Amino acid sequence: CAALSVFAFQRPLSLAAPSPPPPARETPVSHAARYPIKHIVIIDKENRSFDNYFGRFPGADGARYAHTSDGRVIKMGRTPDHTLLDIGHAGDSAAFAIDGGRMDRFDLLPGAIQSGRDIADTEMSRADIPNYWRYAGHFTLDDHFFSTISGPSFPNHLVTIASNSANTVDNPRGQTHHAWGCDSGPYALVNVINAATGKASLTRPCFNIPTLADTFQRYHVSWRYYAPGQYQPGYIWDSFDAIRSVRYSRLWKTKANISDKRFIHDARAGKLPSVSWLVTRAALSEHAPFSVCLGENWTVKQINAIMQGPDWKSTLIVLTWDDFGGFYDHVAPPRRNFISLGPRVPTLIISPYARSHTVDHSTLDFNSILKFIEQDFRLPALTHWDREAPSLTSSLDFHQHPLAPYLLKTRTCPKGSGNTVSRLSGTYISLVSHKYGQEMALRLNAGTVVTLLIGPSTPVTTTDKVHVSIRAYRVGDRIIAQGRPDQQRALVYGAGSLRDLDLHSFTARHGVITEVGQFNTTLTARFGSQSVLLTVGKSTRIVMPDGRRGTFADLNSGDTITVIGAKNIRLGDITSTKQITITALPRQKPS
């Protein structure tokens, strides 16, 4: 990928035509399914490379050893069900890990090393994801299915509806709402790289590009996008939120944002449309650090519902993952332009017409899904990418005896798999305030830097759990945070609580003011033999000897005071002063 250090604000050049073609005037041809597939379901899960899930699968192009940045070849360890951190997988992270096709710098990605262990260069076995392996063995596993964009979720999800990422290569940032598209707020921007020239820029993540919705509406093909509702965890993966013509039309509520919880009912009742997309909330998406076991169980329930319904005999399920998630893969992606292709992702073709017990080695990507949809329903292509893409037909056999439903049981997940909160321990680096919130940079004990998003309701306390202002914390303090992973960017957490281990509640009597600061924000006092700096804020209560409310101007050298606040034991200073009570004034000298 091109460097992203300098950006110009410009509208991206679309890989597709600038506007949808006009509706045909002649009587349209029949768009009944060409193949015995009348229902196509795209289940889009999160952030796993092919080797991470199926590197050990018999007959697949997998790997048990990984190449590292220092030239070593190491045996890949076992990926935990529930990791501590996410791993960096933005556009620049993908290009960095791929390393010109050498595939040897995954161990250097942010978050790759967790608790002293290289998590990026690990993989799962059959015992870790038994039902996914059962699907792979019974139906078709595509082992050369690449993410279309060399980047994270947002651009690759866009491809699944538009054959086009609008040249985006990253997830948006600067959101004021938990959304990526037109709902993301006035400050949201997304990195763009012109696919043909490599020129980088920034743009708003709300586009006017043609999508399959335009085609479906024009040719009367039914469709729905099942996803969590507005601003709920997982709403970010509803790609139609980034399409202005859909987000602000009647299609939004009737087709483009249908609750993912409704999918099982529709599948069992035989009410699936011709084409469905299905995404779910973060905790069930398999997005690190969330549990893979819980995510697999959710997927099994959705697929079982299809197989138990009347539409199974005419359904194709494409179970795929949107990007590599920072996990190792040994196959270098083919280079098409400055943004494509990205690393391989696991993809399973599940259908009565899937080639049973087959590993398909064909080179495919998300455009291959669109190509098959367009072939099946006799639709025009959106871009030259889906027009030229190889189809999913290599994984299908319409002459075989249709496969029967293959119902699986969910399994008991490891203890703690349902925990959606991470405990983070590290050193406070910096705090940045924005119009839309505060961000604390925290260096974890293992060295990784994470970002904590702090809201007005986040409890901020001392080590003995006394509430203070975030301004009482100091760079270098030891911090323990409880945070929920934010899927909008790797290594970002919504802070549920913050505790400063270097900050203790403080109450002391008989201190004497030795110096008053020049700008009404600090003073120095001596408590016994110790000289202490006190930070005084607007909320500090100052009490006179007679109990009246005082001001900073009433504080003078020589005053005896009692202080209530919080003391930083590392620095020896009182960084949060709740109340100063003047208990005695200095004696006046005789004239």
Side-chain angles (χ1 to χ4, degrees), residues 288-354:
F290 294 118
S291 167
V292 170
C293 178
L294 290 178
E296 183 189 52
N297 280 350
W298 176 88
T299 305
V300 167
K301 291 177 182 178
Q302 313 307 308
I303 295 176
N304 280 350
I306 297 170
M307 293 180 174
Q308 291 166 336
D311 295 332
W312 162 249
K313 61 182 178 295
S314 60
T315 295
L316 166 65
I317 303 167
V318 182
L319 173 58
T320 190
W321 282 255
D322 63 356
D323 68 71
F324 76 116
F327 289 101
Y328 180 80
D329 195 79
H330 78 284
V331 177
R335 179 178 170 83
R336 291 181 178 170
N337 51 48
F338 281 95
I339 64 175
S340 292
L341 292 169
R344 291 187 305 168
V345 292
T347 301
L348 295 160
I349 304 302
I350 301 171
S351 171
Y353 299 97

Side-chain angles (χ1 to χ4, degrees), residues 542-550 554 559-560 581-585:
I542 298 173
V543 182
M544 301 299 290
D546 58 4
R548 291 183 297 107
R549 185 72 178 265
D554 293 310
D559 290 351
T560 300
T581 301
I582 303 174
T583 58
L585 301 174

Side-chain angles (χ1 to χ4, degrees), residues 174-473:
Q175 301 90 322
T176 52
H177 301 97
H178 198 79
W180 273 348
C182 301
D183 284 331
S184 56
Y187 309 106
L189 295 168
V190 63
N191 292 335
V192 168
I193 294 179
N194 185 292
T197 67
K199 183 178 181 180
S201 61
L202 285 169
T203 191
R204 288 268 296 122
C206 186
F207 306 106
N208 279 322
I209 57 174
T211 70
L212 281 176
D214 300 301
T215 305
F216 293 159
Q217 290 300 112
R218 186 175 307 119
Y219 294 105
H220 308 290
V221 176
S222 60
W223 63 280
R224 289 192 200 105
Y225 200 112
Y226 294 89
Q230 192 172 26
Y231 306 139
Q232 295 177 14
Y235 178 67
I236 53 176
W237 297 312
D238 190 332
S239 293
F240 281 108
D241 181 37
I243 307 301
R244 186 179 288 110
S245 60
V246 174
R247 178 62 186 89
Y248 300 118
S249 76
R250 61 179 178 80
L251 296 175
W252 179 249
K253 291 185 177 180
T254 59
K255 294 181 180 294
N257 186 238
I258 307 302
S259 173
D260 57 311
K261 296 178 181 179
R262 176 179 155 181
F263 181 84
I264 286 179
H265 170 270
D266 287 355
R268 287 177 176 167
K271 295 182 178 180
L272 290 178
S274 298
V275 178
S276 306
W277 292 266
L278 175 60
V279 297
T280 191
R281 64 185 186 274
L284 300 175
S285 71
E286 296 157 52
H287 191 302
F290 294 118
S291 167
V292 170
C293 178
L294 290 178
E296 183 189 52
N297 280 350
W298 176 88
T299 305
V300 167
K301 291 177 182 178
Q302 313 307 308
I303 295 176
N304 280 350
I306 297 170
M307 293 180 174
Q308 291 166 336
D311 295 332
W312 162 249
K313 61 182 178 295
S314 60
T315 295
L316 166 65
I317 303 167
V318 182
L319 173 58
T320 190
W321 282 255
D322 63 356
D323 68 71
F324 76 116
F327 289 101
Y328 180 80
D329 195 79
H330 78 284
V331 177
R335 179 178 170 83
R336 291 181 178 170
N337 51 48
F338 281 95
I339 64 175
S340 292
L341 292 169
R344 291 187 305 168
V345 292
T347 301
L348 295 160
I349 304 302
I350 301 171
S351 171
Y353 299 97
R355 294 182 184 274
S356 186
H357 314 295
T358 299
V359 177
D360 184 354
H361 303 301
S362 303
T363 299
L364 306 167
D365 74 291
F366 296 128
N367 279 302
S368 301
I369 304 173
L370 278 72
K371 177 63 173 281
F372 180 78
I373 292 171
E374 291 155 355
Q375 286 178 330
D376 192 22
F377 295 106
R378 309 168 197 267
L379 303 172
L382 285 166
T383 72
H384 74 276
W385 297 113
D386 53 330
R387 182 181 299 112
E388 302 299 328
S391 174
L392 298 179
T393 51
S394 61
S395 297
L396 299 165
D397 182 356
F398 298 118
H399 300 290
Q400 72 182 17
H401 183 74
L403 301 176
Y406 186 60
L407 299 175
L408 299 180
K409 294 181 180 180
T410 57
R411 59 195 176 100
T412 302
C413 292
K415 184 179 180 180
S417 60
N419 183 19
T420 59
V421 176
S422 298
R423 186 178 186 272
L424 306 167
S425 178
T427 304
Y428 171 26
I429 300 175
S430 64
L431 183 71
V432 178
S433 296
H434 304 282
K435 293 180 180 179
Y436 46 86
Q438 293 177 305
E439 296 182 1
M440 174 184 284
L442 188 72
R443 186 181 302 280
L444 303 184
N445 295 335
T448 302
V449 176
V450 301
T451 299
L452 301 175
L453 306 178
I454 303 169
S457 62
T458 302
V460 178
T461 64
T462 64
T463 190
D464 48 352
K465 300 182 180 180
V466 173
H467 288 264
V468 293
S469 165
I470 190 68
R471 292 187 294 273
Y473 286 17

Side-chain angles (χ1 to χ4, degrees), residues 570-585:
R570 180 176 62 86
L571 300 175
D573 299 329
I574 299 173
T575 58
S576 175
T577 308
K578 184 176 180 180
Q579 180 172 303
I580 300 174
T581 301
I582 303 174
T583 58
L585 301 174

Side-chain angles (χ1 to χ4, degrees), residues 124-142:
M124 290 192 153
S125 67
R126 182 188 186 101
D128 300 316
I129 45 174
N131 283 330
Y132 285 154
W133 275 49
R134 290 187 180 102
Y135 287 139
H138 191 78
F139 297 103
T140 306
L141 173 65
D142 292 340

